[in-house]
Amino acid sequence: MEKMIYLKNVVTLQLNEKNCSGCGICMVVCPHAVFSMNNGRVRIANRDACMECGACAMNCPTDALTVQAGVGCAAAVINTALGRDGACCCVVETPGDSENIRGKICC
Amino acid sequence: MNQPFIIGSVHTTTGDIPKISSDLRWPDHWGSIKARWGVGRMHYTVDPGLYALGAPGDRSPVLVTANYKMSFDRLREALPERNAWILVLDTNGINVWCAAGKGTFGTDELVRRIEFSQLNRVVSHTELILPQLAGPGVAAHKVKKRSGFKAIYGPIRAADLPAFLDAGLKATPGMRRKTFPVRERAVLIPIELVSVLKWSLVILPSFFLLGGLGAPSGFWHGAMNDGLFAVLNLLGALVAGAVLTPILLPWIPGRAFSQKGLVMGLITTLFITLFGAFNLNIRQDYMNILAWFFLAPALSAYLAMNFTGASTYTSLSGVKKEMRWAVPLEIVGGVAGLTLWVGSRFVS
């Protein structure tokens, strides 16, 4: 399987090693194997593979990880910039609001 | 709600719980196909709540999923001959990963659904198996604190669940990696095409007819040659951006999706120009030909850029960075191409 990496040096993922307890839950939830374990401490081994989904920060019990989580979807960025809500992936339709469902489809 | 996948019920201390089959029937497959093409996709739901797969007892595992019918089907079809409880969260009919990103597949909904379904009275253990991709929405440690249930992250793909369960709830590294193989990329193409269908129905006939306007050789001759050439180029851009780029994604040079789309757009334009030069009576002026080397790649770059949302590895920071140069370039390319094309109508 070819390895897919998006743009380099853009990701907002931050690890505060002082807070890390080494529980490893971030390694469990990360879908792109961004982390590795070193002597009972987690480190960011593959930063550019991060897609900022936010799973690691959400599940870190000691708040050692921060990331500006979001969906990497151009249509969502455009919709947000144009002030349209709904946007992209995971559009939730509300009754009588057919404009939202038309949105770009991610996922 | 009409839920034909329910095949009976299982009696528990909390009442009867609907029993479901792991067999998918043709309405299930047909439903998946329709959803892939955007038909009824936003209403393709399952009632939230607890379901019994097979004949589960109080020690059977509890698997959590979203109430998007396709997510639900992937889960149950992965577990033939197994007994398990399936807890379906209300995610407004959105799949697990997207719903987790939006927070609807989240800690609050999970805790609420555990209480509603009186799960603590149905099972004698306190473990839940969540899809790994629920991670962006669920904080496992908070679920434990608030509900008493321990949320265990299972594999990304439902198909790996039997191996995960048999290994004593252990996932291999491969089960934890989200890949994006060609098959997964290909099934996302229809929805990309459907999203541009409405525009195509207006734009394609317009260019065809405009190709005939003011043609020195007569309207139909113009439409059938320059108009057709325009339509072919636009279709080429569509195929380059929304079909070829997704399929060939890892092999096209560049990391930014717009760049990949641009490359594919230039290639298809080149082929269509050669085809037009030999098979159509197009006007041989440079403006008419050059126009499509701006317009078509700009369009395919834009379409490819939109595929970031469907991909499984693009970050929001990356997409924003890409868009800062790609969107202006796409607009400039589009306007330049259009100006050249319209201009060429007046030069004879």
Side-chain angles (χ1 to χ4, degrees):
Chain A
M1 179 57 215
E2 64 284 341
K3 201 169 172 182
M4 294 183 181
I5 297 284
Y6 192 43
L7 308 188
K8 281 187 171 175
N9 304 322
V10 288
V11 168
T12 55
L13 179 68
Q14 296 289 340
L15 168 65
N16 183 346
E17 283 164 21
K18 273 181 281 177
N19 287 1
C20 177
S21 68
C23 74
I25 187 72
C26 51
M27 296 176 66
V28 170
V29 290
C30 178
H32 291 295
V34 168
F35 305 100
S36 71
M37 188 71 84
N38 249 13
N39 297 328
R41 284 274 192 282
V42 157
R43 65 180 195 94
I44 298 174
N46 195 0
R47 167 177 294 275
D48 288 333
C50 173
M51 62 176 291
E52 302 182 324
C53 72
C56 55
M58 174 63 91
N59 281 277
C60 180
T62 54
D63 294 328
L65 285 158
T66 55
V67 61
Q68 284 173 30
V71 181
C73 171
V77 175
I78 292 173
N79 282 338
T80 308
L82 295 178
R84 290 188 221 146
D85 55 339
C88 195
C89 191
C90 329
V91 173
V92 178
E93 186 195 6
T94 49
D97 189 359
S98 61
E99 205 38 35
N100 276 352
I101 40 173
R102 180 200 43 80
K104 273 294 308 169
I105 315 294
C106 315
C107 337
Chain B
M1 199 183 289
N2 180 27
Q3 310 218 77
F5 47 83
I6 294 174
I7 54 167
S9 61
V10 169
H11 190 73
T12 70
T13 53
T14 64
D16 286 345
I17 291 178
K19 182 182 163 91
I20 55 168
S21 162
S22 64
D23 291 331
L24 298 196
R25 307 220 184 128
W26 72 265
D28 302 314
H29 295 297
W30 178 236
S32 286
I33 292 170
K34 282 202 297 185
R36 289 295 188 197
W37 286 91
V39 180
R41 188 167 174 268
M42 291 301 160
H43 303 281
Y44 198 44
T45 58
V46 174
D47 287 342
L50 192 63
Y51 293 85
L53 181 72
D58 66 337
R59 302 175 71 176
S60 299
V62 180
L63 304 164
V64 186
T65 191
N67 80 322
Y68 181 41
K69 175 73 167 26
M70 218 191 286
S71 308
F72 181 74
D73 283 354
R74 289 293 85 76
L75 177 58
R76 63 195 179 103
E77 77 171 345
L79 299 163
E81 323 272 312
R82 302 252 174 183
N83 302 319
W85 299 105
I86 295 192
L87 185 64
V88 177
L89 304 192
D90 185 0
T91 60
N92 295 307
I94 303 296
N95 70 66
V96 173
W97 208 7
C98 284
K102 288 266 167 172
T104 47
F105 195 125
T107 309
D108 288 346
E109 166 62 12
L110 179 56
V111 170
R112 195 181 318 135
R113 202 55 58 184
I114 292 169
E115 284 167 13
F116 273 2
S117 60
Q118 298 180 280
L119 193 61
N120 56 346
R121 293 178 57 198
V122 176
V123 293
S124 56
H125 61 82
T126 54
E127 285 182 351
L128 302 169
I129 300 170
L130 267 58
Q132 185 186 326
L133 294 184
V138 176
H141 55 289
K142 289 182 184 162
V143 174
K144 173 84 178 166
K145 222 173 275 174
R146 288 173 53 184
S147 72
F149 277 87
K150 183 184 178 194
I152 298 166
Y153 286 103
I156 286 178
R157 295 179 314 131
D160 288 329
L161 268 170
F164 175 81
L165 293 168
D166 292 345
L169 310 188
K170 292 270 180 296
T172 62
M175 290 181 194
R176 298 237 171 269
R177 293 290 297 272
K178 183 72 196 100
T179 55
F180 200 28
V182 67
R183 207 189 142 274
E184 276 184 34
R185 302 197 296 273
V187 295
L188 298 169
I189 291 171
I191 208 83
E192 299 290 317
L193 293 177
V194 169
S195 69
V196 291
L197 184 70
K198 197 170 68 182
W199 292 100
S200 309
L201 290 177
V202 177
I203 291 171
L204 293 178
S206 307
F207 269 87
F208 181 73
L209 296 175
L210 285 171
L213 282 187
S217 48
F219 179 80
W220 281 112
H221 186 269
M224 286 306 288
N225 290 285
D226 283 317
L228 189 60
F229 184 59
V231 169
L232 286 176
N233 269 301
L234 288 167
L235 285 175
L238 185 64
V239 170
V243 180
L244 295 178
T245 304
I247 288 181
L248 302 175
L249 197 69
W251 303 291
I252 308 169
R255 286 167 184 262
F257 281 38
S258 317
Q259 188 189 330
K260 291 172 186 284
L262 185 80
V263 170
M264 294 319 292
L266 284 170
I267 293 171
T268 50
T269 308
L270 186 64
F271 275 103
I272 288 162
T273 302
L274 290 173
F275 173 84
F278 291 110
N279 295 287
L280 294 174
N281 253 320
I282 54 170
R283 301 194 206 186
Q284 300 286 337
D285 66 276
Y286 289 113
M287 280 168 84
N288 187 33
I289 289 168
L290 200 61
W292 293 107
F293 277 92
F294 281 96
L295 198 45
L299 189 61
S300 59
Y302 174 78
L303 292 170
M305 184 181 82
N306 273 348
F307 197 66
T308 51
S311 85
T312 61
Y313 66 96
T314 52
S315 61
L316 180 57
S317 301
V319 168
K320 282 182 173 169
K321 187 183 181 188
E322 166 170 350
M323 289 178 76
R324 274 200 287 276
W325 60 262
V327 172
L329 213 62
E330 286 154 11
I331 292 172
V332 167
V335 170
L338 212 54
T339 309
L340 281 168
W341 192 75
V342 172
S344 75
R345 310 290 93 192
F346 297 102
V347 183
S348 48

